Amino acid sequence: MTDARASLTADYLGQVKRKRLYGGILLILFAALMTSGWMVADGRNAGGFWSGLHRILDFPTEILSEAAQNWRNLPGLFIHYLPSLVETLNIAAVSTLFGAGLATVLAMLSTRGLALWPRLIPVFRRMMDILRAVPEIVIALVLIFILGGGPVPAMIAIALHTTGALGKLFSEVSENCDIKPVEGLESVGANWLQRVWFGIIPQVAPNWSSYALLRFEINIRASAILGFVGSGGIGYDLKTSLQWGLGKYDEVVAIFLLLFVTIMIVDHFSDRARARLVKGGRV
Amino acid sequence: MSMTATAPQQMLHTTITHRFAMRKRRALAVPVLIVAYLIYVFFAFDLAGLAGRARLDNGAILLKDFWSYKTHVTRDNRSGEVSVAVEGERKGTYPAGQAPDWVTLGAVTNIALPGGAHATYDGPTARLDIPDFGRVTVAPDGRQIVLTLPDGAALPDWISAAPNRVDINRGKWRFSMTKSRTEVFRYQPGWELFFFTIDSPFHGKSLGDMIALALWEPRLDATQPNIVAMANGFWTNRMWHHDQVFGALGETVLMAFLGTMGAGLIAFPLAFFAASNFAPARSVRLLLRRLFDFLRGVDGLIWTVILSRAFGPGPLTGSLAILMTDTGTFGKTFSEALENIDGKQVEGIASTGATTLQRARFGVIPQVAPVVLSQLLYYLESNTRSATVIGALVGGGIGLLLTQAIITQKDWEEVCYYMILIVLMVMVMDSLSGWIRRRFIKG
């Protein structure tokens, strides 16, 4: 009895020891990767971390002091940049709409028990994986070459990425939903579209809208960045103001503020809406 | 059932019909609103004008260049020298006297072209034999370029002739002559010189030859085994720069790794002070919450602009930009995870007389570790994609190479190569993070 207990204790302690050893090794490995990684990144950067650290506040001070001097311009600048901001928001909204629409189709076609062509499920899954993996900037820059500047290349690029990203989330939700309503509808002779519309959509609508809202938040950021790299919206204005440099910093501050406030407002309302959609209660 | 329904029933009936009508109207209103919005966007984005601005010919060039390359056979009309170069680049030029098998160099240069066409450079004169059309002669005459068509032929739409320049475009090959140079471009499928450049001893060898060379044939270069020479030749390929490309991919993954893990390391301890059940004071908690919101709300775009002013372009700036936004995101999610833990475990540990640190280590961390780790892995994967975009902004990693290749507007085969590599990189990170999550977190 005591022997058994003693060996049990020894076994347990041995296991604990081994676990600690593995944990320790992982920790050391991680620390080594982090330090060497930061050193490599530091070495390949144009300016070093330590030489730049004390300058980190220089640029914000510079632009803020200029904006403080010309604070009377700010309201006018806000109004001036409002159309660009609306364009950025439009790019995000339209691409979320189109992306969500395409994602719905792809998700339905790749959900087990619901797919029109069950054999093609892996094909549609792969399609979503690829759409998700292509960064927006790749498609946007290529499309700018073909379509010229403006909001459309960014819109298409973000919509394609959204299709992949939402398609995966949508199909995860619809995989988990109750298939009985679909069977019931099938038994009364409903066609595929009716089965999806009355059997699945009511079940998944809250979760899907919540994911689409989250995606909208992400897409606003993406559309601002794409504007900076290539085409329309407030990102492009930011780039031109920055290139101008000194003397236009009040514009930079106005754009920063507009972006910041918009993102905060959208995040706040979409947070609340999502909480309501998913939990059903008021938050 | 009596005809006189009781009042409550009547009321129920009216409210329900009323509600149904409301729902119906609302269900109809949503698509109507969406359609109205799309019509507005149609005009706001000037989609009608887009058709006029679109350069579909650019699209055709791009699609062709993605999977094909062209070889230039150029005669310098001043010196009379003929050179053959892949993509017309100096690095892809054949050594003097060497050419692919469809070009014969000599006093007269003969070029065999697809579709049975044939071009000849005879001194400054170029003769082109085109099936179903006849012989076209192009020759410089003083400052002019003179085009002679077969007898009785009208100028076809694939020849454009100006006094100082003649262009012939047959799809699979093109010809052009100006005063300074005569050029034939031949398009062929594939990515030429992808593995070895022309100066490499392995250029133009078949797969079978390569295997034989790698495994048992004598060394081509006495100083190193063939297989090492092959790897070296591939890695330092001067046309495709595989070493730089893979270095840039590594840089992108590094940015994502440093940014995500750095943000996790900073956010995790801070999350304790921002969680309602651990915060020492309400003010600290609110302050941290606002800080996290601020970090998240200042978009990655703004962070890259501010940080690159201080640190200059490069991967460090990119890592720090990712770190900034993600510290905000992690701070929020981690503190929410901490608020949702089961207090009983912590009480149990406390009852054995554990200190605060021990309570955190054995009571709290085991509960939040799965959430924290899976968040970290998920963001690592998604940041690999963001790092490509941020790389384009801060000038580091594969994003930089990609934008540079796109800006030149001619290296589309390289753009295609980078696109494939980026997609593969993201997919590898995706399955890697998924595998780790399944293996270590879900049990």
Side-chain angles (χ1 to χ4, degrees):
Chain A
M1 185 68 187
T2 38
D3 271 5
R5 193 173 291 167
S7 78
L8 197 69
T9 317
D11 272 359
Y12 175 72
L13 286 178
Q15 266 186 13
V16 167
K17 219 172 166 183
R18 208 173 325 138
K19 213 176 150 188
R20 286 212 178 133
L21 185 68
Y22 287 156
I25 290 173
L26 269 177
L27 204 68
I28 291 168
L29 201 70
F30 177 76
L33 268 175
M34 282 298 276
T35 34
S36 58
W38 282 111
M39 274 153 73
V40 168
D42 194 35
R44 298 183 74 145
N45 216 51
F49 180 72
W50 298 113
S51 61
L53 194 61
H54 64 276
R55 278 183 295 158
I56 195 157
L57 288 176
D58 287 2
F59 180 62
T61 342
E62 206 176 326
I63 57 170
L64 284 177
S65 62
E66 198 178 312
Q69 270 173 23
N70 303 332
W71 64 271
R72 282 185 192 82
N73 292 348
L74 283 181
L77 286 173
F78 286 144
I79 293 168
H80 176 70
Y81 287 118
L82 204 61
S84 308
L85 180 70
V86 171
E87 187 166 85
T88 295
L89 288 176
N90 274 338
I91 293 172
V94 176
S95 52
T96 311
L97 271 178
F98 280 128
L102 283 172
T104 307
V105 176
L106 282 180
M108 283 300 146
L109 289 175
S110 61
T111 305
R112 263 167 297 176
L114 202 70
L116 268 182
W117 310 285
R119 276 164 191 281
L120 292 183
I121 288 179
V123 178
F124 291 120
R125 291 245 166 110
R126 274 300 107 179
M127 237 159 91
M128 292 193 289
D129 284 348
I130 291 174
L131 283 174
R132 209 152 38 89
V134 184
E136 293 108 342
I137 189 173
V138 176
I139 301 173
L141 288 177
V142 167
L143 283 177
I144 288 171
F145 179 61
I146 300 174
L147 299 178
V152 180
M155 193 265 282
I156 297 175
I158 300 177
L160 287 178
H161 180 73
T162 303
T163 305
L166 280 183
K168 183 180 179 230
L169 294 171
F170 280 9
S171 68
E172 271 168 15
V173 175
S174 58
E175 285 268 299
N176 289 329
C177 68
D178 188 2
I179 208 78
K180 283 190 193 112
V182 179
E183 285 166 0
L185 284 161
E186 198 171 3
S187 73
V188 297
N191 64 26
W192 185 76
L193 212 60
Q194 289 167 328
R195 290 205 296 272
V196 169
W197 188 247
F198 295 109
I200 297 294
I201 297 289
Q203 292 188 58
V204 296
N207 271 318
W208 281 18
S209 339
S210 146
Y211 281 137
L213 271 176
L214 187 66
R215 201 68 222 173
F216 177 58
E217 290 175 39
I218 298 170
N219 284 349
I220 293 176
R221 292 153 189 260
S223 108
I225 289 188
L226 283 187
F228 193 87
V229 182
S231 43
I234 200 153
Y236 188 74
D237 290 335
L238 177 62
K239 190 166 107 180
T240 36
S241 302
L242 275 173
Q243 276 168 349
W244 196 270
L246 216 64
K248 292 270 185 189
Y249 281 151
D250 46 346
E251 292 182 4
V252 173
V253 170
I255 294 172
F256 276 3
L257 279 176
L258 272 179
L259 252 180
F260 178 69
V261 170
T262 312
I263 288 175
M264 291 293 255
I265 291 175
V266 172
D267 275 15
H268 179 73
F269 281 103
S270 120
D271 242 17
R272 283 172 60 142
R274 280 187 292 129
R276 263 182 77 170
L277 278 167
V278 176
K279 289 176 192 151
R282 277 165 209 281
V283 176
Chain B
M1 292 290 157
S2 62
M3 287 289 286
T4 50
T6 48
Q9 261 180 328
Q10 193 82 49
M11 244 164 68
L12 194 67
H13 179 257
T14 40
T15 33
I16 285 176
T17 30
H18 183 67
R19 273 193 197 158
F20 258 102
M22 283 257 289
R23 291 199 79 151
K24 230 178 193 172
R25 246 175 286 154
R26 215 184 295 165
L28 269 175
V30 171
V32 167
L33 276 177
I34 289 178
V35 168
Y37 177 67
L38 289 180
I39 290 171
Y40 152 71
V41 164
F42 181 87
F43 290 106
F45 284 6
D46 189 25
L47 282 179
L50 184 75
R53 277 180 283 125
R55 296 278 312 270
L56 291 181
D57 49 335
N58 274 351
I61 293 174
L62 183 146
L63 280 180
K64 196 166 164 186
D65 256 23
F66 267 180
W67 55 270
S68 70
Y69 70 99
K70 62 182 188 303
T71 311
H72 299 218
V73 184
T74 313
R75 181 182 186 277
D76 187 326
N77 286 342
R78 291 198 177 88
S79 64
E81 271 170 32
V82 175
S83 60
V84 185
V86 172
E87 294 290 350
E89 283 185 43
R90 202 173 47 79
K91 290 170 286 188
T93 308
Y94 283 81
Q98 277 187 42
D101 53 6
W102 46 275
V103 179
T104 31
L105 300 169
V108 174
T109 308
N110 280 304
I111 307 160
L113 292 168
H118 197 89
T120 314
Y121 295 167
D122 188 357
T125 309
R127 284 190 300 275
L128 298 135
D129 292 303
I130 301 165
D132 304 326
F133 188 71
R135 168 166 293 189
V136 177
T137 311
V138 192
D141 179 18
R143 303 189 70 83
Q144 309 248 305
I145 306 289
V146 178
L147 168 77
T148 319
L149 294 175
D151 289 335
L155 189 70
D157 58 357
W158 41 268
I159 299 183
S160 71
N164 54 2
R165 182 184 180 96
V166 168
D167 280 297
I168 299 176
N169 186 352
R170 297 290 278 158
K172 283 182 178 158
W173 60 272
R174 268 163 49 204
F175 168 86
S176 82
M177 187 189 281
T178 59
K179 191 167 152 275
S180 62
R181 59 166 62 185
T182 309
E183 239 175 336
V184 166
F185 310 93
R186 182 183 171 164
Y187 289 92
Q188 280 161 295
W191 290 346
E192 184 59 355
L193 312 182
F194 182 74
F195 294 103
F196 303 105
T197 41
I198 294 164
D199 54 4
S200 159
F202 301 106
H203 173 68
K205 295 265 191 297
S206 72
L207 184 65
D209 283 350
M210 290 295 289
I211 294 171
L213 273 169
L215 297 179
W216 60 79
E217 296 260 309
R219 292 178 176 190
L220 292 185
D221 172 7
T223 58
Q224 53 187 352
N226 281 335
I227 197 156
V228 175
M230 278 178 200
N232 264 331
F234 172 76
W235 193 242
T236 55
N237 183 323
R238 293 202 324 285
M239 285 289 273
W240 288 84
H241 301 290
H242 299 292
D243 49 348
Q244 288 176 25
V245 173
F246 282 89
L249 277 180
E251 215 171 88
T252 303
V253 175
L254 183 70
M255 280 198 270
F257 175 77
L258 293 179
T260 316
M261 295 304 164
L265 282 180
I266 296 174
F268 189 66
L270 287 182
F272 278 92
F273 294 97
S276 54
N277 46 348
F278 292 98
R282 207 179 129 78
S283 56
V284 177
R285 175 173 164 251
L286 283 178
L287 201 74
L288 274 174
R289 286 257 150 141
R290 287 292 87 80
L291 177 72
F292 291 149
D293 283 347
F294 174 76
L295 287 174
R296 243 162 11 105
V298 177
D299 185 32
L301 174 63
I302 302 178
W303 283 124
T304 50
V305 169
I306 293 177
L307 291 171
S308 52
R309 290 289 164 135
F311 302 115
L316 179 75
T317 311
S319 312
L320 287 174
I322 296 176
L323 185 143
M324 285 294 188
T325 27
D326 281 5
T327 302
T329 317
F330 287 151
K332 183 164 182 267
T333 46
F334 290 176
S335 61
E336 277 165 9
L338 283 171
E339 280 168 7
N340 287 335
I341 60 161
D342 185 359
K344 294 204 186 86
Q345 260 186 58
V346 189
E347 276 169 33
I349 305 270
S351 72
T352 63
T355 62
T356 321
L357 214 62
Q358 284 169 328
R359 282 205 297 265
R361 167 67 186 84
F362 297 102
V364 182
I365 291 187
Q367 288 192 57
V368 291
V371 182
V372 168
L373 283 179
S374 69
Q375 278 281 323
L376 282 176
L377 286 169
Y378 174 75
Y379 270 86
L380 179 64
E381 180 244 313
S382 112
N383 279 337
T384 314
R385 214 173 11 247
S386 318
T388 314
V389 183
I390 287 181
L393 292 175
V394 300
I398 193 83
L400 177 69
L401 288 188
L402 185 77
T403 38
Q404 280 175 345
I406 289 177
I407 287 167
T408 63
Q409 302 211 334
K410 63 185 177 62
D411 299 328
W412 294 112
E413 67 286 344
E414 279 172 27
V415 174
C416 185
Y417 176 45
Y418 299 156
M419 276 165 68
I420 292 172
L421 284 179
I422 291 171
V423 170
L424 286 179
M425 170 183 74
V426 174
M427 283 178 142
V428 165
M429 292 300 281
D430 190 6
S431 28
L432 191 72
S433 94
W435 180 78
I436 297 177
R437 261 181 292 172
R438 274 192 305 278
R439 176 83 178 69
F440 292 102
I441 295 167
K442 286 184 184 155

